[in-house]
Amino acid sequence: MSNTTPRRLDDQLCFAFYSASKKFNHFYQDALKPFHLTYPQYITLLALWETSPMTVRELGSHLNLDSGTLTPLLKRLEKQGWISRKRSEQDERQVNVSVTDYALDKRDEVYARVNDCIDLMSFDGVDYQQLITQIHQVMGELDDISTKDLIHEA
Amino acid sequence: MSNTTPRRLDDQLCFAFYSASKKFNHFYQDALKPFHLTYPQYITLLALWETSPMTVRELGSHLNLDSGTLTPLLKRLEKQGWISRKRSEQDERQVNVSVTDYALDKRDEVYARVNDCIDLMSFDGVDYQQLITQIHQVMGELDDISTKDLIHEA
DNA sequence: GATGGATTAATCGTGTGCAACTAAATTGCT
DNA sequence: AGCAATTTAGTTGCACACGATTAATCCATC
């Protein structure tokens, strides 16, 4: 057996991401409450406000979500009037997801609300760009590992 | 209406945390597969390997999880033999959660497995301690905001 | 044109996460 | 002692997240 010492730093790093992600989620949940949107629903709309329509597959590769997550989420967004789903005629396997006029109308209002909430924070000692860069670096490492066959036992 | 310009950086930061957290989760999921443990179950055990027993409330404040999440999670850990739950005799409201002998036996094996997997990553350009510090700083901001009454409309 | 393999979205099952509520026990106050 | 407020864990309902499977469609090759 190899080293059995707890890796405090690595675990702490992971736990920090885990906790921060939950806190951000809660923050956006509050900010988006007037629109009855969750954070995953919000980033889905963000992607669609940039490019619409997109297939479920395209959306999923932008957001790193599979159809098992997206399909029910999209159905909820559709029911609330933000998007429409229509099976492609060229390729009946695909479903094109588009923002509705309602979503286009509401867009600036949503942005304004999110901005107002973000303005309440003062990220003083935090170097955004460098922080994001470091996170991407860590994610790169995780990607490299996951794709490699690190799992050799049962 | 205030500024309606998308806050790319803030959203990117949040999305980075969101994605990194999911990737870490997946990484630990793979690493812990031999033990049939999820990441939340793992950090629960980590906490209990340090201090056992703990009440559900104490565990929850360590992990930032409420009883709605912990109770079913703990029941699963109990069913798999890692922990035991016993209602306190001094205060019947509380439930004391303890690691079992099985969990104590397996501890080093789990640590070794996690360490082996972490060793496959080379966090070259990443300054751990500084990264963790920055994340904590961001979380501090989020805490300050969440507790304030930033939500003024319906 | 038929057929096997690939692609796409949907479905199913399990496990978080959390808000809201409930039930039981404890504490505090009079 | 008696009763209201508080604390604690559990329960319920909803929304991700994802692995595994399914069903329909498309494509390639014959």
Side-chain angles (χ1 to χ4, degrees):
Chain A
M1 179 170 308
S2 55
N3 181 11
T4 59
T5 309
R7 283 295 187 81
R8 302 224 179 283
L9 270 179
D10 310 84
D11 279 338
Q12 270 175 34
L13 186 62
C14 179
F15 187 68
F17 277 114
Y18 169 75
S19 304
S21 177
K22 286 197 298 177
K23 275 189 205 299
F24 262 116
N25 191 62
H26 185 262
F27 169 80
Y28 275 89
Q29 213 86 23
D30 279 350
L32 296 166
K33 193 166 287 174
F35 307 101
H36 305 293
L37 288 171
T38 66
Y39 176 68
Q41 290 167 3
Y42 168 69
I43 56 175
T44 302
L45 283 178
L46 275 190
L48 288 171
W49 275 323
E50 284 221 19
T51 314
S52 173
M54 268 195 280
T55 68
V56 173
R57 169 127 201 70
E58 287 166 338
L59 251 180
S61 61
H62 276 323
L63 306 177
N64 301 310
L65 293 172
D66 73 355
S67 66
T69 302
L70 274 178
T71 298
L73 185 153
L74 293 172
K75 282 182 181 174
R76 282 186 283 272
L77 280 179
E78 187 180 37
K79 192 190 291 184
Q80 302 189 295
W82 295 94
I83 63 161
S84 64
R85 301 185 308 139
K86 201 166 56 184
R87 210 156 266 278
S88 160
E89 291 176 2
Q90 296 83 41
D91 186 339
E92 296 253 337
R93 290 171 305 181
Q94 300 180 359
V95 167
N96 286 118
V97 183
S98 320
V99 283
T100 59
D101 290 342
Y102 171 77
L104 288 177
D105 280 352
K106 283 281 185 184
R107 187 179 63 164
D108 283 354
E109 209 178 316
V110 172
Y111 281 152
R113 168 70 178 162
V114 169
N115 284 342
D116 284 351
C117 289
I118 291 176
D119 281 339
L120 294 176
M121 292 185 277
S122 60
F123 294 119
D124 281 340
V126 181
D127 181 345
Y128 265 58
Q129 202 50 264
Q130 194 241 3
L131 181 51
I132 292 175
T133 303
Q134 292 227 337
I135 295 174
H136 282 320
Q137 233 170 310
V138 171
M139 283 199 282
E141 291 282 351
L142 287 170
D143 280 335
D144 291 348
I145 295 298
S146 321
T147 45
K148 274 180 214 152
D149 44 350
L150 79 163
I151 314 297
H152 6 267
E153 47 268 78
Chain B
M1 178 170 309
S2 56
N3 181 13
T4 59
T5 309
R7 284 291 187 81
R8 302 226 179 284
L9 271 180
D10 309 85
D11 279 337
Q12 271 175 33
L13 186 62
C14 180
F15 188 68
F17 276 113
Y18 168 75
S19 304
S21 176
K22 287 197 300 177
K23 277 190 204 300
F24 262 114
N25 191 62
H26 184 262
F27 169 80
Y28 275 89
Q29 213 86 22
D30 279 351
L32 297 166
K33 194 165 285 172
F35 307 101
H36 305 294
L37 288 172
T38 66
Y39 176 69
Q41 289 166 3
Y42 167 70
I43 56 175
T44 302
L45 284 178
L46 276 191
L48 287 172
W49 276 323
E50 283 221 19
T51 313
S52 174
M54 267 194 281
T55 68
V56 173
R57 169 125 200 73
E58 286 166 338
L59 252 178
S61 61
H62 276 322
L63 306 175
N64 300 312
L65 292 171
D66 71 356
S67 67
T69 302
L70 274 177
T71 298
L73 185 154
L74 293 173
K75 282 183 181 173
R76 283 187 280 272
L77 280 179
E78 186 179 38
K79 193 191 291 183
Q80 301 187 297
W82 295 94
I83 63 162
S84 65
R85 301 186 308 140
K86 200 167 57 182
R87 210 156 267 279
S88 160
E89 291 176 2
Q90 296 82 42
D91 185 340
E92 296 254 337
R93 290 171 304 180
Q94 300 181 358
V95 167
N96 287 119
V97 183
S98 321
V99 283
T100 58
D101 290 342
Y102 171 76
L104 288 177
D105 280 351
K106 284 281 186 184
R107 187 181 63 165
D108 283 354
E109 210 178 313
V110 172
Y111 282 152
R113 170 67 178 163
V114 169
N115 283 341
D116 284 351
C117 289
I118 290 175
D119 281 338
L120 294 174
M121 292 186 278
S122 60
F123 294 119
D124 282 339
V126 181
D127 181 345
Y128 265 60
Q129 203 50 263
Q130 195 241 3
L131 182 50
I132 292 176
T133 302
Q134 293 227 335
I135 296 174
H136 283 321
Q137 232 169 312
V138 171
M139 283 199 283
E141 291 283 350
L142 287 169
D143 280 337
D144 290 348
I145 295 299
S146 320
T147 44
K148 275 180 212 152
D149 45 347
L150 78 163
I151 314 297
H152 8 266
E153 47 267 80

